[in-house]
Amino acid sequence: MGIHQKSKSLVSRHSELSDTFYQLRVLNGQERTDADFPKFVDRIKAAGFHDGRLSPTRIDIFQLNVGKLCNQTCAHCHVDAGPDRKAENMTRETFELCLDVLARYDIPTVDITGGAPEMNPHFRWFVEECYKLGKHVIVRCNLTIIVAHKKYRDLPEFFAANGVEVVSSLPHYAALRTDSQRGDGVFDDSMEALKMLNAIGYGVTGTGLTLNLVYNPTGSFLPGNQASLESDFKSQLMRKQGVTFNNLFAITNMPISRFLDYLLETGQYENYMQSLIEAFNPGAVSSVMCRNTISVSYEGYLYDCDFNQMLDLKVAGPLTHIRDFDLQLLQNRDIVLNQHCYGCTAGAGSSCGGQVA
Amino acid sequence: MSKKHYFDPEDLKKFGNITDWQKSMGDKYFAWYSEVMKEGALTEREKSLIALAVAHAVQCPYCIDAYTATSFEKGADEAQMMEAVHVAAVIRAGSSLVFSTQMMNHAKDLTM
Ligand code: SF4
Ligand code: SF4
């Protein structure tokens, strides 16, 4: 048991890409590549979206990224998370500001991510407070954390007691594919954790305890059809591991952070961007997740989505911090778009809830 | 000849140009291709693995590149892909070996 780290954070490697401004320069053809890709904003303008602008529908999902600390260092991580990222963790004060907002407004879903959010010392208290407020809580759990230390082994029971929907990454039902992205040993630990979740009813029909898995490509290719991947995952995981789950979300890798580093280091950046652009689907634009989500960073800043957060593209307008949260103003903002947005509109589209079109 | 070698990966991107000199047949081929490769009684993943196996049987480097990528996209892994190639290889070998029955028949005819 136990896992081997797949890579190191960009920050600990002192990579130029740990600077978000540098990443944006790469995405816009000003560093590392001179590939001149059509601007996303022009592309959606041509597809009939009001002057290349995109606005929210209504905010249904309050997503918090509670920190960058993680027990894994996956090769593709868009958060640049890892065991070394101890400094970046949401404080109790910031969590309290979030609870104030959640109590004040009718935002039904709280989506908690990281890093491994369970490693934040205030995690359990916060989940319980959200549950008391009657919110639907989603936790993006990397699975291996459940078996990483004895203090986490009761997480399945804790999740169940608070009606948490568990969403977990499993890039493949084959150990080699999963471990090549997430680190040796991750697959075996993930299977152990899935069996613990199944044992108390998670992912089992009729229990009301939802366990969804996330598929993402383990290389520089786009995801296939979500429904057919789901049926493969279901039959293979049952056949080989005796594991069940509810739904599979197929997510496209965004060309940012460690995945961008991988693309650049392996000389595949241009081809990958080209394939995202060729797969641009105007039908996916209206369903991108930034239209019904607000994303809060561990420091309490507000973003249109977790990807904009990782590029430090804060929400447009005067109010950029949770302490100034104003639902009306935020619902009338323009979403901040850039070249990475092609990742959300390729093929059947991509969001934290999988394909959208 | 414009090049000094026969196979160039860049040529795969020009596959669509086969309609240039015979449009209606080329268009029919691409329509047939799309119909065949979409999800049906077999999944797209299964069809990609069959395509990968056939690519090895006919030893087409373009198809091997294309269906290695497509197989991953459709959710296959290395083990499935290698097993598919073994199926192609073992059937190819068997189709040679099965002719040995003719050799054996004839050998028996010729000998005492
Ligand atoms: S992808 Fe998830 S599990 Fe992997 S390093 Fe990033 S936050 Fe951790
Ligand atoms: S990357 Fe963020 S802002 Fe861009 S389309 Fe996707 S969800 Fe919206």
Side-chain angles (χ1 to χ4, degrees), chain B residues 77-89:
Chain B
D77 70 330
E78 289 89 335
Q80 294 174 17
M81 287 153 69
M82 190 57 95
E83 282 187 23
V85 173
H86 272 287
V87 173

Side-chain angles (χ1 to χ4, degrees), chain A residues 42-55:
Chain A
D42 294 337
R43 207 57 199 268
I44 69 166
K45 199 187 292 181
F49 284 85
H50 359 274
D51 303 331
R53 288 160 61 190
L54 206 57
S55 52

